[in-house]
Amino acid sequence: MVITQRPKAIYGDKASMTLDTGAIEVIGNVRYVGPEMTLHGTEFLYNFKTKNFEIKNARMETGSFTLLAKKIYRGGDNKIIAEGAEFTTCKDCPQSWTIYGKKVEVIPGEYIYLTHGFLTIKGVSFLYIPYLVFPIKKDRESGLLFPNFRWSKLVDGILTQPVFWAIDDNVDMTFEPGIYGTRGFYNEYQYRHMFGEKKWFEINSNQAWDKVYLPGKTDFDRSGETFFRYYLNYEHHFSFGHDFNHHFNLDGMRDLDMIHDFAPYLYPKVEGSEVGINTYLNFRKQFFDFNIIGNFNRNQLVSDPLSFDDSYVQVLPKMTLSIPPVSLINFDFFPLQSISLGLNADYTIFKQNKKLERKYIRNANRANIEAFADWNLGNLGAIDLRSNATWDAQFYKFPYEQEQSLSKHTFLFQSQMKMELAGIHKISYKEKIPRENINFEKLESKKVSNITKKNLNLIGDMPSINQDREIKTFLIDEKSYRHSILFLLNHYYAEKTKFNGNKRFEQQIVTDLGTFDNVDAVRENEYKINNATARIVLPIKNTLELKLVNSLVQKTSKGTDPFIDGTNLWDNFNFSKVFHLQVGQGYRFDIESNDIKDKLTRLQLSLGLEYEDARIVASEYYFWKEEGHIFTINFNQKFDSGDFGFIANYNTFIRPANQNIKAYVNYGPIDLLKIRTYYDFDFANMKTNDFLVGALFSPPNNCWKVDMSYRITQIDSKFSFNIHLNYNQKAFGNDEF
């Protein structure tokens, strides 16, 4: 039986209709199909005059939710009431999660109101919800979000309840008050405003009325007082086309211990060992790039958490100008193939909040200039020749010194001879060949006889099935390889840096103990700076380097894409370096010694290998004179159900030697379960920096997930139990224990 009233229709086994009253009664396998919803049930009463309806043992389905109920009926204009109902956004319910309520009111396209409800997962009720308003609008809606639960070993349970306010389409606000364990009342606030594409600002704030913390107090017992603590962040960004960009970020807090004590909330927001004001303005055109950078920060590395380190050097401000190389000569003959000039310059004001200079000068204005010329001589047979000359100069002004200026400058030269031996193997392409164009008899004659397959559980032989005969089109995917051996001979020469002016500041940068940054370093001695990045740099006073680079690059065709015009090489092919080996050794001519180790620079060894889903990259820098090592290795192996890998570091120039390994495993024994573990161990101090083990259960219906984890850090240990519910069409919410 079918009753239609476009665009609605009613299906059932048996029906009766009274034309005078407009009443319709349908019994058995009832189904109502309308533009807003579909209803299923055992008995359906409908009045096509009043539009009222009632359906028993009902199931309501819309594009965003499902409702099961003993009875569903229309309770007024644009209102549907369900009794003894279960509500969910799952597609396979009631097998997944539901919210049961004695009475549920549904306003289509607006809200669902539920009273005396229980959150149920897989038939088990574990959370009572006295009242719930659930938006079913397509647009975002103000209201309560799911509460957050955490458990910390130090402060016990943490409970917060976020409240979302959709002020406008481009403006929203979130409050999250709660109880932060034994510390007491806590609140988090966020305000976001979007003005347009890449134009926005937001405010973030955390407040705590802490009953445990007092400055200098180290235990976690309640202090008997309430200490108000806050963190405030303001950030905005404005971009106007590709030429003008501006960013501003402000971080502030009452006490510096707050980041440690509220790590789950503040660690993602604070970067580095400073909080304060950081901003930049960028303006660029084809022939220049101009920036203004400013920082006014509060140093966190102080003993008093309430103090401000006035001796900390601020950058107020820094202005940079970069002019890309401009071609002066461009010929096709040796030795004047091309000559170009370029410039990088900046002006920086270094200033303490209060003048607290002791041993070193900490207040200065510095102009830095790097003017360079690139000279490409061209090819001499198979050898490519090129050279670079740079004038590197810095000019200082010291407002609090009697001798208020200093200048230093030097010339840097680099020359290179390069020869490459390269070969290309095969051609990369993809081609589809119809089955009728393939000679199967010729292919079979080349194969080893494999007509039958043995099966020990069967008597006799079972003939194999030739699946090739069922394929209509065969795809040939051919890869090509480029093997390159590159020989490089580099010569570096730096004139001795010339100083003129303040002897005090000259002494503090020559000894590398009072530099503002690496720009102040004496160029010919820059390799002596005690950090890993600078140490692996070659001495450039007078050094000859021989380098060998051996690489194998794989080229794979992407095939035809109708949405790409294919004019660019990268649109048509993928490139991956499947193997590389790099060896580099330098020899110093500026050292007078009979010991060869004094004249040899660090030995550089680098190896990379990628095969199918395995990848390993290792580098070693060996220092002959010091007999020291800087070694790193990175390994990753992917497989169908996950991946695993590790990163190891070894540096003998740090005391005690840096011996650190970070290992991880992600494994999914089945599609529904993902297991993960992470381990960071410091061998030098024989301690664990970070340890995590967890499991994520994700049913295929994308309705809910359960995540369990246990984590140990140097600060705290934490057990988490998260239930993620897909309560709308776009994202998961979560309850965390």
Side-chain angles (χ1 to χ4, degrees):
M1 181 282 306
V2 179
I3 301 175
T4 60
Q5 185 184 25
R6 293 182 180 273
K8 305 173 184 178
I10 301 174
Y11 303 83
D13 295 339
K14 182 179 179 181
S16 61
M17 178 185 298
T18 304
L19 296 178
D20 294 339
T21 61
I24 301 174
E25 181 180 7
V26 182
I27 301 174
N29 297 319
V30 177
R31 181 161 55 100
Y32 164 83
V33 179
E36 295 181 348
M37 71 187 78
T38 299
L39 291 169
H40 302 264
T42 58
E43 183 178 350
F44 183 67
L45 302 176
Y46 180 72
N47 192 298
F48 59 82
K49 291 184 177 181
T50 63
K51 309 300 182 184
N52 292 329
F53 68 87
E54 178 182 314
I55 185 167
K56 298 179 180 179
N57 301 316
R59 177 187 182 101
M60 175 190 291
E61 295 178 344
T62 69
S64 57
F65 69 90
T66 301
L67 189 67
L68 302 176
K70 294 180 180 179
K71 182 171 67 173
I72 297 178
Y73 59 92
R74 186 183 296 277
D77 293 339
N78 202 31
K79 181 186 291 187
I80 298 173
I81 298 176
E83 297 179 355
E86 293 182 349
F87 162 79
T88 183
T89 59
C90 287
K91 303 301 181 183
D92 67 338
C93 299
Q95 289 81 7
S96 295
W97 72 269
T98 61
I99 299 178
Y100 172 82
K102 287 186 177 181
K103 184 178 180 181
V104 177
E105 294 185 7
V106 180
I107 300 178
E110 296 289 337
Y111 300 96
I112 289 180
Y113 300 87
L114 185 145
T115 57
H116 299 293
F118 291 89
L119 178 61
T120 303
I121 295 181
K122 286 294 185 180
V124 179
S125 300
F126 71 96
L127 180 64
Y128 173 69
I129 304 174
Y131 183 72
L132 176 67
V133 179
F134 198 93
I136 54 176
K137 294 182 176 182
K138 294 182 179 180
D139 299 329
R140 57 186 187 156
E141 186 67 24
S142 302
L144 296 177
L145 304 179
F146 275 90
N148 293 317
F149 299 94
R150 290 184 174 89
W151 180 266
S152 170
K153 182 180 178 181
L154 300 178
V155 296
D156 300 332
I158 302 167
L159 169 64
T160 58
Q161 173 59 66
V163 181
F164 179 74
W165 181 15
I167 302 173
D168 203 345
D169 291 341
N170 60 334
V171 184
D172 61 52
M173 185 184 300
T174 304
F175 300 90
E176 191 172 346
I179 302 297
Y180 205 94
T182 55
R183 294 190 182 277
F185 185 71
Y186 170 84
N187 180 58
E188 183 173 10
Y189 167 81
Q190 186 178 54
Y191 178 87
R192 296 167 293 265
H193 195 140
M194 179 73 72
F195 295 99
E197 184 179 2
K198 297 181 180 180
K199 300 177 183 67
W200 53 267
F201 83 88
E202 68 175 58
I203 300 172
N204 295 275
S205 179
N206 302 69
Q207 310 95 38
W209 289 257
D210 203 322
K211 298 182 180 297
V212 172
Y213 177 80
L214 286 176
K217 186 172 176 289
T218 57
D219 61 70
F220 289 88
D221 299 328
R222 289 202 167 187
S223 64
E225 303 179 28
T226 299
F227 190 89
F228 177 67
R229 312 174 73 182
Y230 67 86
Y231 166 81
L232 174 65
N233 169 259
Y234 170 83
E235 185 175 12
H236 72 234
H237 184 88
F238 294 96
S239 292
F240 299 92
H242 299 288
D243 298 333
F244 183 84
N245 297 277
H246 169 61
H247 193 88
F248 180 90
N249 186 79
L250 166 66
D251 287 295
M253 62 188 68
R254 182 181 182 186
D255 66 277
L256 298 173
D257 293 328
M258 191 172 183
I259 298 175
H260 171 280
D261 294 342
F262 297 88
Y265 292 93
L266 297 185
Y267 265 17
K269 299 178 181 179
V270 179
E271 298 180 0
S273 60
E274 307 162 333
V275 292
I277 298 174
N278 296 274
T279 184
Y280 77 83
L281 184 148
N282 170 258
F283 181 65
R284 56 190 174 188
K285 288 293 184 180
Q286 181 179 358
F287 297 108
F288 70 90
D289 191 322
F290 177 73
N291 294 273
I292 299 179
I293 303 168
N295 304 301
F296 187 81
N297 289 313
R298 182 180 179 185
N299 182 20
Q300 297 186 54
L301 305 179
V302 294
S303 58
D304 184 358
L306 298 179
S307 67
F308 185 90
D309 186 2
D310 290 316
S311 65
Y312 193 73
V313 177
Q314 312 289 347
V315 177
L316 295 170
K318 178 177 182 178
M319 295 176 286
T320 69
L321 174 65
S322 178
I323 299 177
V326 178
S327 179
L328 297 182
I329 296 176
N330 196 351
F331 299 125
D332 292 331
F333 56 83
F334 184 88
L336 294 174
Q337 183 165 338
S338 66
I339 296 178
S340 58
L341 302 178
L343 175 70
N344 295 311
D346 62 75
Y347 182 80
T348 309
I349 298 176
F350 299 100
K351 189 178 186 303
Q352 294 176 315
N353 190 45
K354 295 181 181 178
K355 180 180 178 296
L356 295 171
E357 295 180 339
R358 296 180 178 90
K359 186 177 180 180
Y360 299 117
I361 296 174
R362 308 313 295 154
N363 295 272
N365 302 341
R366 184 188 69 198
N368 173 48
I369 299 175
E370 183 184 273
F372 60 90
D374 291 326
W375 179 13
N376 184 3
L377 286 79
N379 296 324
L380 191 62
I383 300 175
D384 179 78
L385 300 173
R386 60 188 62 218
S387 184
N388 171 273
T390 301
W391 181 59
D392 185 88
Q394 291 79 41
F395 304 90
Y396 300 86
K397 288 291 184 181
F398 309 109
Y400 303 116
E401 295 293 305
Q402 289 185 349
E403 192 172 8
Q404 293 192 339
S405 64
L406 172 79
S407 65
K408 71 181 183 76
H409 63 89
T410 184
F411 281 96
L412 310 175
F413 301 93
Q414 178 182 351
S415 301
Q416 182 185 87
M417 297 175 60
K418 180 174 68 174
M419 183 176 70
E420 183 179 18
L421 304 177
I424 297 177
H425 308 271
K426 299 184 179 180
I427 298 176
S428 177
Y429 67 94
K430 286 185 179 180
E431 182 180 6
K432 293 182 179 180
I433 301 179
R435 178 177 176 273
E436 55 268 19
N437 294 348
I438 297 177
N439 190 335
F440 287 98
E441 287 72 17
K442 185 176 181 180
L443 291 176
E444 290 291 338
S445 64
K446 295 182 179 180
K447 295 180 180 178
V448 179
S449 179
N450 187 27
I451 301 176
T452 60
K453 295 181 180 179
K454 299 290 184 181
N455 191 326
L456 299 179
N457 297 323
L458 297 176
I459 299 175
D461 299 332
M462 182 177 68
S464 62
I465 301 175
N466 189 349
Q467 297 181 352
D468 293 347
R469 303 288 184 174
E470 305 299 326
I471 301 176
K472 295 182 179 180
T473 303
F474 290 83
L475 175 65
I476 297 178
D477 189 357
E478 192 69 41
K479 300 177 177 62
S480 66
Y481 297 88
R482 185 181 188 273
H483 182 209
S484 169
I485 302 177
L486 191 64
F487 299 93
L488 296 168
L489 187 64
N490 298 314
H491 180 253
Y492 305 91
Y493 179 78
E495 284 189 346
K496 184 178 179 179
T497 300
K498 296 179 176 62
F499 291 88
N500 183 24
N502 191 295
K503 297 298 182 181
R504 180 187 173 194
F505 190 73
E506 177 184 343
Q507 185 62 29
Q508 79 178 48
I509 63 176
V510 166
T511 56
D512 188 41
L513 296 175
T515 58
F516 291 110
D517 52 35
N518 288 344
V519 174
D520 296 327
V522 180
R523 289 292 169 263
E524 61 267 30
N525 297 327
E526 193 169 3
Y527 70 99
K528 294 181 180 179
I529 298 176
N530 191 25
N531 63 60
T533 303
R535 187 173 289 276
I536 63 178
V537 174
L538 282 173
I540 60 173
K541 192 170 184 180
N542 190 0
T543 302
L544 186 67
E545 179 194 26
L546 178 62
K547 183 179 289 188
L548 170 69
V549 181
N550 191 348
S551 63
L552 181 66
V553 177
Q554 177 182 272
K555 179 180 176 182
T556 307
S557 174
K558 291 183 178 180
T560 303
D561 189 339
F563 300 102
I564 299 177
D565 60 11
T567 56
N568 195 306
L569 186 65
W570 296 94
D571 294 336
N572 300 290
F573 299 97
N574 290 318
F575 298 88
S576 62
K577 186 177 292 186
V578 297
F579 169 79
H580 81 268
L581 172 66
Q582 183 170 308
V583 182
Q585 177 63 64
Y587 182 86
R588 301 183 61 179
F589 292 99
D590 60 306
I591 300 295
E592 295 182 2
S593 174
N594 294 325
D595 189 350
I596 188 65
K597 290 184 178 180
D598 293 338
K599 296 188 174 185
L600 293 177
T601 68
R602 86 290 184 271
L603 171 66
Q604 177 192 7
L605 297 172
S606 178
L607 174 68
L609 181 64
E610 185 173 334
Y611 178 71
E612 294 183 349
D613 294 325
R615 183 174 182 267
I616 184 170
V617 178
S619 66
E620 157 72 3
Y621 292 90
Y622 178 71
F623 299 80
W624 301 94
K625 183 178 180 180
E626 299 88 347
E627 296 183 351
H629 300 266
I630 298 178
F631 174 77
T632 61
I633 184 170
N634 188 337
F635 173 77
N636 176 261
Q637 170 68 62
K638 296 180 181 179
F639 48 94
D640 292 340
S641 54
D643 71 321
F644 67 91
F646 66 86
I647 302 172
N649 299 282
Y650 179 62
N651 188 340
T652 60
F653 292 96
I654 299 176
R655 294 290 182 266
N658 180 15
Q659 304 172 55
N660 176 267
I661 187 169
K662 300 176 183 179
Y664 58 91
V665 177
N666 299 298
Y667 176 57
I670 57 177
D671 292 339
L672 307 182
L673 182 64
K674 304 295 181 184
I675 301 172
R676 67 189 184 279
T677 183
Y678 173 79
Y679 189 56
D680 182 352
F681 188 77
D682 183 358
F683 286 97
N685 299 302
M686 296 305 295
K687 66 178 183 180
T688 299
N689 295 327
D690 198 354
F691 171 72
L692 170 72
V693 60
L696 176 67
F697 180 77
S698 306
N701 51 47
N702 199 37
C703 292
W704 59 277
K705 299 179 180 181
V706 175
D707 187 8
M708 295 180 294
S709 67
Y710 178 68
R711 187 168 193 171
I712 302 174
T713 65
Q714 298 183 40
I715 299 175
D716 195 3
S717 61
K718 175 184 174 183
F719 174 76
S720 298
F721 180 78
N722 301 272
I723 300 175
H724 303 266
L725 301 178
N726 189 358
Y727 53 84
N728 61 40
Q729 296 180 346
K730 296 181 179 180
F732 281 89
N734 72 281
D735 291 332
E736 181 179 357
F737 298 90

